[in-house]
Amino acid sequence: MDDEVGPLLEFTDIELIVKGRYDDAPLVKNRPYAYNNGARLKFSDFNFYISDLSTTVNADESFALDEIEYVDLALFQGEETAEAGFKLNVGRAPIGEYRGFSFGVGVTPELNRTVPDDYGVNHPLAAENRYDANLNGYKFLVIAGEVDYNSDGTYDEEFDFTIGYDQNFKTISSTEQIMLLPDTTNKLIVEIDLMKVLDNGIRSIDFSTQLNTSHDPLDDIMLLLNSNMAGAISVK
């Protein structure tokens, strides 16, 4: 008796579109944005790694997509390009309905033990400037820019915040249902609101007390940004 052969899976392409927001508006490089206490901010850098991407089949099963990608949301000089988002081809999955999508912000502990020299030139982890031995690994996320404390048009100081360390790898899980269709590039949209990363309505960055993160794994700003992250991200 011949062994039964299960149906062949038909795969389809997935494109991830990551959009930066600030208080629900498109995030544009070096554009002034209002912050709390009458301050204004503008951003020169907002970049991060996403890794361990997967679609959720059910509570016990998922389908793995790309292992790691690098996202730079400070590339956009105008609203039209910012609204179009940062686009990544993140792999292929069987057609059908999925119960969600998940990924991590940062570099998984396994990959964070590697160094740029381990990779070819085009790999997301190959760039030397994205690695910091003082963080025991890669820069998971960087936010940098300038603050104008009283909104008088003169920017008073620069700020530079970096998240690193294995314990700050943040898994984002969405239960938004996904239908992957054949013969097309299926688009998943992830939006991250930078205002909500800085200020979740309860805990916020006070720029007057600290303008840079340290290399301390318990740095207050690093922990605050990491804590605010899940509430700032939506999957559509």
Side-chain angles (χ1 to χ4, degrees):
M1 181 175 180
D2 294 337
D3 292 336
E4 289 188 11
V5 178
L8 294 176
L9 295 176
E10 183 179 352
F11 283 72
T12 188
D13 295 307
I14 300 176
E15 180 180 67
L16 184 66
I17 303 172
V18 186
K19 298 185 179 184
R21 292 280 188 263
Y22 189 92
D23 197 18
D24 293 326
L27 180 67
V28 178
K29 183 174 184 176
N30 290 325
R31 173 174 290 184
Y33 292 98
Y35 193 59
N36 58 30
N37 297 324
R40 295 184 77 81
L41 306 173
K42 61 181 180 180
F43 301 95
S44 57
D45 290 286
F46 182 35
N47 54 71
F48 49 92
Y49 282 104
I50 55 174
S51 55
D52 203 20
L53 292 82
S54 66
T55 52
T56 304
V57 180
N58 54 50
D60 301 313
E61 184 181 359
S62 61
F63 194 89
L65 299 171
D66 280 5
E67 185 176 38
I68 191 159
E69 295 286 356
Y70 178 75
V71 177
D72 188 348
L73 295 181
L75 293 175
F76 306 120
Q77 305 286 345
E79 283 197 14
E80 185 175 346
T81 53
E83 186 60 42
F86 192 95
K87 299 178 181 180
L88 295 161
N89 293 316
V90 295
R92 292 167 60 81
I95 62 171
E97 187 173 344
Y98 292 82
R99 296 176 60 179
F101 173 66
S102 69
F103 60 94
V105 177
V107 180
T108 62
E110 180 182 9
L111 292 177
N112 204 34
R113 291 194 291 270
T114 65
V115 295
D117 285 345
D118 294 331
Y119 301 99
V121 64
N122 293 320
H123 193 280
L125 295 175
E128 294 283 351
N129 64 345
R130 300 175 195 165
Y131 184 86
D132 187 344
N134 291 314
L135 295 173
N136 294 332
Y138 287 88
K139 301 174 185 179
F140 290 4
L141 177 145
V142 174
I143 301 168
E146 297 177 79
V147 55
D148 173 2
Y149 289 117
N150 57 8
S151 294
D152 64 357
T154 299
Y155 283 83
D156 303 291
E157 295 183 286
E158 297 180 349
F159 59 87
D160 191 341
F161 304 140
T162 300
I163 295 179
Y165 296 107
D166 288 349
Q167 62 264 40
N168 290 320
F169 178 74
K170 191 78 169 181
T171 298
I172 306 296
S173 297
S174 167
T175 57
E176 185 80 17
Q177 287 198 332
I178 300 167
M179 178 61 74
L180 298 182
L181 302 174
D183 304 320
T184 187
T185 297
N186 296 268
K187 301 179 187 302
L188 301 180
I189 298 174
V190 171
E191 294 186 351
I192 178 166
D193 194 311
L194 186 47
M195 181 178 181
K196 294 177 182 177
V197 176
L198 300 172
D199 181 355
N200 70 357
I202 300 173
R203 299 185 65 210
S204 62
I205 300 293
D206 183 350
F207 288 87
S208 67
T209 62
Q210 189 175 346
L211 291 164
N212 299 277
T213 43
S214 69
H215 291 122
D216 182 351
L218 298 178
D219 181 274
D220 287 343
I221 289 183
M222 196 182 300
L223 296 178
L224 189 154
L225 294 173
N226 190 52
S227 175
N228 289 354
M229 191 66 62
I233 294 176
S234 59
V235 178
K236 299 182 177 182

